[in-house]
Amino acid sequence: MPQKYAAGNWKMNGLVSDLTDVLEIDAGVEGLTCKTIICLPATLIYAADGDPRQTVEIGGQYCHPAISGAHTGDVSAEMLAEAGATYVITGHSERRTDHGETDADVRAQTEAAWRAGLTAILCIGETLAQREAGETLAVLTDQLKGSLPEGATPENTIIAYEPVWAIGTGKVATPDQVAEVHDALRAQAGADMSLLYGGSVKAANAAELFALTNVDGALVGGASLKAADFVPIAQALAAS
Ligand code: 13P
């Protein structure tokens, strides 16, 4: 059975003073049967590591393929791991768009994550134009083939399906749309790989997504910033 994950992605949000929200989330998810991860801005990971958390694990949002070197502004997987991360997002569509990251880049980042002992949360997703052109499954199959390295296991990799048009727009994919994609991903990625959905997940729509056979959790942006929004999502997952 795939592991269930309630994962948050704080994106470029949060100062040290906001880490109280991670502690509130930690208190709220204690005892739930799912795992809970919060992917923080790199600047907050070390500070969060010193906090007395019981349950919530910490992730980064990106890693450079190299261990170190002349890459101004970048961060390596080893740096994230030393700071206290155990997970890292790779291939988020905002990175693919804002920084031109290709499938080959994402593959190299994912290998770097494994090298540092991190579990990669590898993101794929189609644009609205690709969906409207009927290309969704072909695009996703290609993205996964191109960005998932040989050697992926349920321990070192989690796959997140995040339709680009559903991220931060309030337009959540319908259960039918999510089911179609996740059923195809299950066939491609194997029976035990955790498959998360991301894109405008809120407490109000979480339960119907988690009821789908091949949805093993969520990668949550905006609704992960506050415990009052995120804890009910994790509770809905644990109850599913
Ligand atoms: P929202 O939940 O804000 O739509 O963001 C989703 C996302 O991109 C998570 O990685």
Side-chain angles (χ1 to χ4, degrees), residues 39-61:
C39 297
L40 293 170
T43 51
L44 296 186
I45 294 173
Y46 188 69
D49 197 44
D51 284 339
R53 280 176 291 106
Q54 304 296 322
T55 307
V56 170
E57 293 187 80
I58 297 299
Q61 301 173 5

Side-chain angles (χ1 to χ4, degrees), residues 73-192:
D74 276 334
V75 62
S76 74
E78 281 74 9
M79 291 168 176
L80 296 176
E82 188 194 46
T86 44
Y87 295 83
V88 63
I89 295 171
T90 59
H92 193 283
S93 65
E94 286 154 12
R95 300 284 320 175
R96 291 178 187 260
T97 303
D98 294 355
H99 299 272
E101 292 180 5
T102 64
D103 286 341
D105 295 329
V106 176
R107 174 187 285 257
Q109 293 163 14
T110 302
E111 284 172 338
W114 298 350
R115 183 188 65 216
L118 302 177
T119 296
I121 305 173
L122 196 163
C123 301
I124 55 172
E126 84 286 3
T127 64
L128 188 58
Q130 289 165 332
R131 175 161 284 277
E132 286 175 350
E135 296 167 0
T136 299
L137 292 184
V139 164
L140 296 173
T141 302
D142 278 1
Q143 275 184 13
L144 197 56
K145 251 190 222 155
S147 51
L148 185 66
E150 288 292 315
T153 69
E155 287 72 41
N156 65 22
T157 305
I158 298 165
I159 294 170
Y161 166 52
E162 298 207 307
V164 176
W165 49 272
I167 294 176
T169 59
K171 281 188 211 156
V172 64
T174 67
D176 281 353
Q177 289 171 322
V178 177
E180 183 192 28
V181 168
H182 279 239
D183 291 354
L185 292 176
R186 172 68 68 225
Q188 195 178 351
D192 295 327

